[in-house]
């Protein structure tokens, strides 16, 4: 997570983020395209609890409140991890950095057909503009409201499926590795003036 850059008019008239005189193009961790379902997966549970974090250990400083990641670093472990999210309507997402309300876990949950929910009382609408700017925050906020008022009524089920279809579509067009490649090649690198160097952070 990083501080807010300034905003000024870009070369094409759109908003451009800048730090000093340096243009800033945000990048993010993308999901492989073939891991994103084409439609809403079959659901077998309402809420998937927090699944832990790599490197978290009980009592180890900033990560002491976070349980250790419970899936082995194998292809079978990865498949089980993704299936866990696909089977749930909603899934808990956390971050040890209290200012960063969105993390890679949000992307993983969204791209597998569930909705990320925070269990610390915070709301994604509180996020700074520069934190995961391509995340569909309005859709997540609406789904979070649905979560808080959930009764399982047919109209809620219908609205939920409609929201997840939208988040999956967004995942394919904005959060996938192909979308990231197109963004870097066409938006970041195709600048109207010569660029001597590019720093990816």
């Amino acid at each position: 997570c990083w501080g807010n850059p300034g905003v000024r008019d870009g070369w094409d008239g759109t908003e451009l983020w800048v730090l000093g005189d340096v243009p800033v193009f945000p990048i993010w961790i993308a999901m492989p395209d073939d891991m994103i379902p084409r439609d809403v997966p079959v659901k077998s549970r309402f809420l998937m609890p927090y699944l832990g974090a790599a490197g978290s250990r009980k009592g180890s400083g900033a990560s002491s409140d976070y349980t250790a990641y419970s899936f082995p670093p194998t292809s079978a472990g990865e498949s089980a991890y993704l299936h866990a999210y696909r089977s749930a309507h909603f899934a808990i997402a956390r971050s040890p950095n209290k200012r960063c309300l969105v993390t890679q876990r949000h992307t993983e949950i969204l791209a597998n057909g569930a909705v990320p929910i925070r269990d610390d009382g915070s709301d994604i609408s509180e996020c700074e503009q520069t934190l995961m700017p391509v995340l569909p925050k309005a859709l997540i906020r609406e789904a979070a409201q649905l979560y808080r008022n959930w009764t399982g009524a047919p109209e809620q089920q219908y609205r939920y499926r409609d929201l997840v279809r939208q988040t999956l579509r967004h995942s394919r067009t904005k959060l996938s590795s192909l979308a990231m490649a197109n963004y870097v090649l066409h938006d970041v690198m195709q600048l109207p003036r010569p660029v001597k160097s590019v720093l990816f952070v």
Side-chain angles (χ1 to χ4, degrees), residues 27 31 45 65 67 69 184 189 192:
I27 60 175
M31 288 291 293
R45 63 188 302 166
D65 293 335
T67 55
Y69 187 63
V184 170
M189 302 304 292

Side-chain angles (χ1 to χ4, degrees), residues 161-173:
R161 293 184 65 83
D162 181 60
L163 285 169
V164 172
R165 285 193 177 101
Q166 292 182 64
T167 59
L168 285 174
R169 189 180 310 117
H170 184 94
S171 296
R172 286 190 293 272
T173 58

Side-chain angles (χ1 to χ4, degrees), residues 43-63:
K43 304 298 180 180
S44 60
R45 63 188 302 166
F46 175 66
L47 179 67
M48 180 59 63
Y50 182 62
L51 295 181
S56 296
R57 294 293 182 271
K58 196 68 175 176
S60 60
S63 296

Side-chain angles (χ1 to χ4, degrees), residues 3 13 19 22 26 30 48 58 78 91 103 115 120 137 155 170 188:
L19 289 173
V22 178
M48 180 59 63
K58 196 68 175 176
E78 181 180 46
T103 67
V115 177
D120 61 0
K137 296 175 184 176
E155 59 270 19
H170 184 94
V188 177

Side-chain angles (χ1 to χ4, degrees), residues 13-196:
T14 60
E15 281 191 348
L16 177 69
W17 293 355
V18 291
L19 289 173
D21 291 326
V22 178
V24 176
F25 294 88
I27 60 175
W28 50 93
I29 299 175
M31 288 291 293
D33 296 68
D34 60 357
M35 288 187 177
I36 302 174
R38 304 306 299 180
D39 201 0
V40 183
V42 175
K43 304 298 180 180
S44 60
R45 63 188 302 166
F46 175 66
L47 179 67
M48 180 59 63
Y50 182 62
L51 295 181
S56 296
R57 294 293 182 271
K58 196 68 175 176
S60 60
S63 296
S64 60
D65 293 335
Y66 297 87
T67 55
Y69 187 63
S70 56
F71 296 88
T74 63
S75 58
E78 181 180 46
S79 295
Y81 172 76
L82 299 179
H83 177 73
Y85 285 135
R86 292 183 183 189
S87 68
H89 287 77
F90 302 91
I92 298 298
R94 295 177 183 170
S95 169
N97 186 330
K98 298 303 182 183
R99 191 173 66 85
C100 294
L101 299 180
V102 287
T103 67
Q104 181 187 355
R105 189 64 57 90
H106 286 75
T107 303
E108 293 171 337
I109 293 170
L110 280 172
N112 281 284
V115 177
I117 298 294
R118 293 185 61 88
D119 61 351
D120 61 0
S122 61
D123 188 276
I124 199 169
S125 62
E126 302 169 16
C127 295
E128 296 175 7
Q129 179 190 14
T130 53
L131 301 180
M132 290 294 287
V134 295
L135 214 62
K137 296 175 184 176
L139 292 175
I140 296 174
R141 283 196 299 270
E142 184 176 352
Q145 184 176 10
L146 193 64
Y147 165 79
R148 288 190 291 268
N149 299 306
W150 188 265
T151 63
E155 59 270 19
Q156 289 183 325
Q157 297 276 2
Y158 178 84
R159 183 55 186 151
Y160 172 85
R161 293 184 65 83
D162 181 60
L163 285 169
V164 172
R165 285 193 177 101
Q166 292 182 64
T167 59
L168 285 174
R169 189 180 310 117
H170 184 94
S171 296
R172 286 190 293 272
T173 58
K174 298 293 185 180
L175 303 179
S176 70
S177 54
L178 179 60
M180 170 63 79
N182 286 332
Y183 167 72
V184 170
L185 291 173
H186 298 292
D187 293 8
V188 177
M189 302 304 292
Q190 301 298 318
L191 300 178
R193 67 185 186 189
V195 176
K196 295 181 179 179

